[in-house]
Each structure stands twice: as structure tokens, then as C-alpha cells.
Amino acid sequence: MPKILIVGGGYAGFYTAWKLEKWLRSGEAEVTVVDPLPYLTYQPFLPEVAAGSIEARHTVVSQRRHLKKSTVLQAKVTGIDHASKTATITPPVGEPYQFEYDQIVVTGGAVSRTFPIPGIAENAYGLKTVEEAVAIRDRLLTNFDKASQLPAGPERDRLLTVTVVGGGFAGIEVFAELRSYASSLLKYYPTLTFDDTHFHLIEAMGRIMPEVSLETSHWVIKHLAQRGGEIHLDTQLKSALDGKIELSTGETFESDLIVWTAGVMANPAVVRGSDLPVEERGRIKTRADLRVGDEDEIVEGAWAAGDISAVPDLSGGGVGGYCVPNAQHAVRQGKLLAKNIVAVLRGEEPKQYLHKNMGAVAGLGVGSGVFQSGKLSLKGFVAWVAHRGYHGLAIPTWERKWRVFWGWWNNFALDRDIVSVQAVQHPRAAFEEFASRPKPPAPAAEPAAAPAVSAAAPAEAAAK
């Protein structure tokens, strides 16, 4: 049977495998999915995970549970030699090995794109993984616990200052969600007030959320300002060394929680180890039918989709003529990619990807949101309901949808959980502190010294 290798189990990879299982006939092909993580992360929910509105495990989808006909390997693809149609798979345990394939699907996704700003690599959190979202939530809660026991002053201000870098959708959502969460925590900390908390968002451009109209973005800025959020436009972060924020405007302040959302880039760990063609921004060159290549050349047997690929946007709405890296495109590309692979295996022609942006929806904290589709703009509570409804239904599998909606209902009835489990990042600390250890062996006894004999003793004995 033909072997189909899918590199990456995120949106595009998961949906490609999921739909291949549905459309392939029995014995028509073997599907193998390789990903370092055993789950898909539904990234639009990460701001709500960071704000305690969604249980972290509910925003990830198990690959093994739902890809029942595919082989799922928890490993990394560290090399692709398409000329010989072999991939190097590096498992977490054991030696790397070669995997031969007939069709390869590269959906390695994207990672946070950072700049060499002092202190960012050492102090900031990204917002691409569920682990980062959980760490942000726990850091905020732990900082409230610490600050509540300190007198007013620089150290307390530092603990209660949150800085978000990047004014795109991810940045605005996590900024607004954390602001909402911090406000809801104050009732549990009588020694702290609203004025003790400080929230800063830094955006290098002159506006936020380019996916929505300028009027809508202005409403978001005004809305967040009324809730205590300060947005710095046309401002660059110069340094975050030791948590001291220095802005291009000359303003400085200290912040213990820094979140970086200023852009993404194609996963370099996959791209650099491949012999597939790459365009100037580091993405795999991809045709509109999702085959690797360009208008003049097709790389037979190679496909790409999602954030790692440069897919032409035939609707005309893409930045630079290409589909923007978001879940809306990745999911739909994955579905079409599965259809196109099946078509090629059966001697048919693949179809081109064409999807017009349906709009943008963002949550701005519990009870508030924004929605934009064409000229239609919704704000406030109605948009928040639309945000939750859309993403609650968009997360794959009914098993996960049910967990998310059930969690929202529980939070409505019982309020959000406020317990920090930051200690889970060092789970053996308590055990190690009190664990008994073998006593060190007693030092070996030194051999007894021989009795000293003077040099004159032999002469005296001979005289006698």
C-alpha cells in the first residue's frame, strides 16, 4: 500500500489524517502521523486557559483517541530527503531511523517569532502552547498571593504589573482576558485594590487588530482603557532585562509577568532539515492545490498546509498574496488536502484551495467580545456569545466540545478556579526536601604507624 507520512499533528495535520481515515477505502493507503506532542492544541482557547475560563486539558485533542486508523508516533521528523522519499524520525528514546514514504504532508506549524531584545528570551512567556498558557495563569495567581502580603511599594507593583507585547488578536485577547481575571481576583484579596494592578500592551504599529476595521479597533482600545488597560501604540520594546521594561518612548517600569505575542514564523526545525523548496520568509513553497512547488513546477508526492506553508490566497484577501497563518485556513486546508490526496491516489486531479475570510471574532474577557465580518461589527456581550459559540463548535470532536461547554457552565455556576498549581513545574521538590538519603560511608581507618627506631639502636645492640 502507498505510505502517507504526515509531519505534524496540529490543525492541518490532524484534519488531514482525520479526513483521510474517512475517505480512504480499506487497504488503499497507510497513514502515519509524527508529532513530538500526542495532541492537537486548539490555540484560540489559550487566552481563556491563561485566564482560568477553560481547563487546560479540555483545549487539547488526543491524536491517539481520535485517529484510530492511523499510526501515531510521538517523535520528531529531523530530516526530509524527498529526492529519495525518506524521512529521519527521531524518537524521544532510542536512535533515529529512516522512514520511507510515497506521499509526504508537511504541516509542522509555526513557533513564536522573537527579536534579540535583552531579557525577552530569559523572562517572557509565549502563547503558542497550552503549557505556556497554564504557566501564565499560575504566575498571575502566585503573584497575587505574594503581593497580598507586601506593603505598597515597588516590589508589590512589580508583582501586579502584566506586560503583553503584540497587538494582534492573540495579544489583545490574552491582555483582555488577564485583565478580566485580575479584576475578578480582587474580592479574594482584601489587601489589594484595582489601582494596585497595572496592565500594559505594547504595539509597534499605530493600530491594533488589523483584521478588524479601524473603528472597531478604536472601540477595543477605549473599552480596555475603561477597564484599566494601558495600550502603547507606535511603541517598541527596547529591553526587558531582569523584568525592567524600557520602551522606545523613554518610559520605564518593572513587570514580573511578560507575555510575547508579536508574530510567528514557520517551524524552523522542520524547514531547515528538508530539501523541499522554501520561499524568502522561510515557508515551504506551496501551490493553490496544496502540492509543494510553484506555478511552473510541482514536487510530486509532497504536500504542505497550515502555518508552515506559503499557500496563495485566491480570494485576494491575504497579506502579500498568501493565506495568513491562522486556524481558519489551516483547518480548511487540511480537509481539502485529504480530498486531494485521495484524488491523486485514484488518478484524479486535485482541487485548488479557495476560502474567503469569514471574519474575525475575539473574546475580551468574560461578558465582552468583538466580531467583524465585512462591514458588520458586533461589540460587547453579543460578540462574546458569538466568540464562545463559534470556537466552542469549531474545536474538533464532540467529546472535546462537550468538555469545553460543560466547563463554561461550571464556571458560570461556581465561578472560575483561583488555585495556582505553579509547583507542578517542579513536582519532585517536596519529595526531595524530606526524602531520606543514605548516610555517607564512614572514613576508612588509617593503618597503625610502625614503632620508630633510632639510627643508633643497631650499633648499641652489636656492642652488647
Side-chain angles (χ1 to χ4, degrees):
M1 287 189 293
K3 293 182 178 180
I4 302 171
L5 175 63
I6 300 177
V7 182
Y11 296 118
F14 180 89
Y15 272 93
T16 299
W18 207 23
K19 296 305 179 182
L20 281 173
E21 291 188 353
K22 177 180 179 182
W23 294 322
L24 284 172
R25 303 187 187 108
S26 178
E28 193 170 9
E30 293 179 1
V31 179
T32 300
V33 181
V34 182
D35 194 294
L37 300 173
Y39 51 78
L40 170 156
T41 301
Y42 192 74
Q43 292 176 351
F45 279 155
L46 294 184
E48 289 202 55
V49 172
S53 292
I54 295 179
E55 165 62 34
R57 287 177 299 175
H58 295 170
T59 196
V60 297
V61 181
S62 170
Q63 295 162 357
R64 295 184 186 278
R65 179 168 184 169
H66 298 287
L67 300 180
K68 299 177 181 178
K69 299 178 182 178
S70 304
T71 300
V72 177
L73 302 178
Q74 189 177 343
K76 294 181 179 180
V77 173
T78 53
I80 299 173
D81 183 2
H82 191 67
S84 62
K85 290 194 173 181
T86 59
T88 303
I89 296 180
T90 303
V93 179
E95 296 297 321
Y97 60 92
Q98 300 299 306
F99 184 96
E100 295 183 355
Y101 61 81
D102 297 287
Q103 304 279 337
I104 189 168
V105 178
V106 185
T107 57
V111 299
S112 295
R113 182 191 63 183
T114 58
F115 306 106
I117 300 172
I120 286 297
E122 296 80 9
N123 300 308
Y125 293 92
L127 195 66
K128 291 292 292 180
T129 69
V130 68
E131 293 83 1
E132 290 171 322
V134 171
I136 291 169
R137 172 187 177 274
D138 289 342
R139 184 70 168 260
L140 180 68
L141 289 169
T142 299
N143 284 358
F144 264 75
D145 290 333
K146 293 177 180 177
S148 65
Q149 302 176 65
L150 293 174
E155 183 58 29
R156 191 169 80 171
D157 286 342
R158 175 190 172 98
L159 289 169
L160 297 178
T161 298
V162 176
T163 302
V164 176
V165 185
F169 257 69
I172 290 296
E173 284 193 288
V174 73
F175 181 76
E177 291 286 355
L178 291 176
R179 174 68 270 184
S180 170
Y181 196 30
S183 298
S184 71
L185 293 174
L186 292 171
K187 60 187 175 184
Y188 302 107
Y189 297 90
T191 60
L192 303 177
T193 67
F194 181 85
D195 293 335
D196 291 327
T197 59
H198 313 282
F199 281 74
H200 298 268
L201 184 134
I202 303 166
E203 170 53 48
M205 297 179 62
R207 62 164 297 177
I208 61 170
M209 304 172 76
E211 298 88 347
V212 303
S213 67
L214 189 60
E215 179 186 357
T216 301
S217 71
H218 286 166
W219 179 87
V220 173
I221 292 174
K222 181 179 179 181
H223 176 70
L224 292 175
Q226 292 172 344
R227 290 165 49 189
E230 186 173 352
I231 296 180
H232 307 261
L233 297 179
D234 292 315
T235 303
Q236 294 180 342
L237 176 64
K238 306 297 290 185
S239 176
L241 203 60
D242 297 325
K244 184 177 181 181
I245 304 297
E246 297 181 14
L247 305 181
S248 58
T249 58
E251 184 178 356
T252 63
F253 54 89
E254 293 196 15
S255 177
D256 194 70
L257 177 54
I258 305 169
V259 183
W260 179 274
T261 65
V264 297
M265 64 180 180
N267 189 335
V270 176
V271 174
R272 291 172 186 169
S274 163
D275 62 352
L276 297 174
V278 178
E279 47 92 72
E280 60 273 9
R281 295 188 60 184
R283 299 172 297 181
I284 295 175
K285 289 183 179 180
T286 310
R287 295 161 47 88
D289 59 11
L290 305 179
R291 287 184 288 187
V292 173
D294 53 32
E295 293 181 358
D296 301 322
E297 183 180 4
I298 299 174
V299 180
E300 294 292 344
W303 308 77
D307 296 354
I308 203 170
S309 64
V311 179
D313 190 341
L314 300 183
S315 72
V319 178
Y322 295 98
C323 297
V324 297
N326 62 21
Q328 191 174 138
H329 282 304
V331 168
R332 287 166 175 79
Q333 287 172 6
K335 293 178 179 179
L336 177 64
L337 203 158
K339 287 184 178 180
N340 282 351
I341 291 176
V342 172
V344 168
L345 291 177
R346 296 173 183 172
E348 302 170 4
E349 286 296 315
K351 295 182 179 179
Q352 293 188 328
Y353 175 74
L354 173 60
H355 171 67
K356 187 175 181 180
N357 195 330
M358 297 174 60
V361 59
L364 302 177
V366 176
S368 181
V370 61
F371 170 82
Q372 181 89 44
S373 180
K375 295 183 179 180
L376 175 63
S377 176
L378 301 176
K379 308 175 185 71
F381 181 78
V382 174
W384 176 72
V385 173
H387 162 76
R388 286 205 161 179
Y390 172 78
H391 285 298
L393 293 175
I395 188 171
T397 80
W398 281 103
E399 172 253 338
R400 246 33 188 180
K401 299 181 203 297
W402 175 257
R403 292 181 190 273
V404 168
F405 279 108
W406 184 248
W408 280 334
W409 172 255
N410 286 338
N411 285 345
F412 174 76
L414 305 173
D415 207 349
R416 286 179 279 188
D417 201 322
I418 64 165
V419 176
S420 169
V421 289
Q422 192 174 43
V424 77
Q425 297 176 33
H426 306 282
R428 297 186 66 251
F431 180 82
E432 289 180 341
E433 181 180 357
F434 300 105
S436 297
R437 291 173 171 81
K439 293 181 179 180
E446 295 183 3
V453 179
S454 66
E460 291 176 358
K464 291 179 180 179

